[in-house]
Amino acid sequence: MSDPASAPEQVLALDNQTCFALYAANRAMTALYRPVLATLGLTYPQYLVMLVLWEAESREGAVRVSFVGQRLRLDTGTLTPLLKRLEGQGLIQRQRDADDERVVQVALTGKGRLLKAQAREVPGQLLCGSGLDPQRLASLRDELRSLLVLLDEAPSGG
Amino acid sequence: MSDPASAPEQVLALDNQTCFALYAANRAMTALYRPVLATLGLTYPQYLVMLVLWEAESREGAVRVSFVGQRLRLDTGTLTPLLKRLEGQGLIQRQRDADDERVVQVALTGKGRLLKAQAREVPGQLLCGSGLDPQRLASLRDELRSLLVLLDEAPSGG
DNA sequence: TAGATAAATATTGTGCACAATTTAATTTTG
DNA sequence: CAAAATTAAATTGTGCACAATATTTATCTA
């Protein structure tokens, strides 16, 4: 009753919405990455795909399109054109699997592997001079991850 | 040294990135809103614009396009077509300001005002059955907002 | 007051996201 | 083994985001 956030006029107040805080913070974070990633010739989603491939390389080598999709929670409508752009840049190779012609395997090229060295500098570059506290960021990350689990469990209208 | 997150191979690990947690949580949150907002005939960014207008209505009445842009941190490249769609739905009216012909005033229509009543149910609908704790959400919101302040202050490469 | 500068919005072009459908290949079943 | 069902990726279409540029109107300044 005394909670101002549940007063009738506050329920829809923009600044009370967690969803808007999430939306705004995500775009601000992406904007912070943009100029740094531009020096690698990558957009932010392309960078995420490269993270998946660099991580996979140490074990599986090539991975399926659907594997990238599972990791990033993206479908082929997003990934297919994105992967074609990365291939156009010579960072990856896309190849139909001979054993199962439905599958497309995505593998790093030498150039794509080399880019990892430059990418290693990215997280540090962003932290330096950004006034962000690593520990606080890590705890925010953990909080967001547990939110994600809850959102996944939420009934999606079905 | 003993921090696993700063081990060479962990710096680029996808699941260690706060930016990815933010990116994934934002999309999951939007996905949760999508079916609910669809019943109002709105996309998520359109809903945010309506929140701005409903909030402004109680005071200023009509607002400039640039005001909406400041509140949501969006430029006219995003807003102009979005506002045209809302106008096409009959929820808002766009009108050149007679005093300053550079300005476009955005005002709610009767239909747009009526939609607010339905929208009031949205936050509740999303919380119910989503397993989300309001208090925890509020503290996440506050943490995201202070992150946003820091990101705004960060040198943007200029 | 004419010309320069600034301000507000619109336009153009690229790259995501995502729903819905399509295509092609594999697996399952009768 | 053939028809049906399933799976993997691609395609199509809509709607953001955002950089860069253009257009129009207002203001400033010499």
Side-chain angles (χ1 to χ4, degrees), chain A residues 66-119:
Chain A
S66 56
F67 176 81
V68 179
Q70 282 164 30
R71 289 294 276 137
L72 301 181
R73 301 159 162 263
L74 292 170
D75 68 10
T76 60
T78 302
L79 284 176
T80 298
L82 192 160
L83 291 171
K84 283 182 178 172
R85 276 174 223 122
L86 288 177
E87 188 175 39
Q89 294 206 27
L91 295 173
I92 67 168
Q93 250 191 320
R94 293 160 61 247
Q95 196 167 4
R96 285 273 163 198
D97 190 319
D99 292 344
D100 186 340
E101 291 272 353
R102 292 172 302 182
V103 171
V104 169
Q105 298 281 353
V106 181
L108 288 167
T109 61
K111 187 178 170 187
R113 240 171 263 117
L114 283 176
L115 196 63
K116 187 176 185 179
Q118 285 181 62

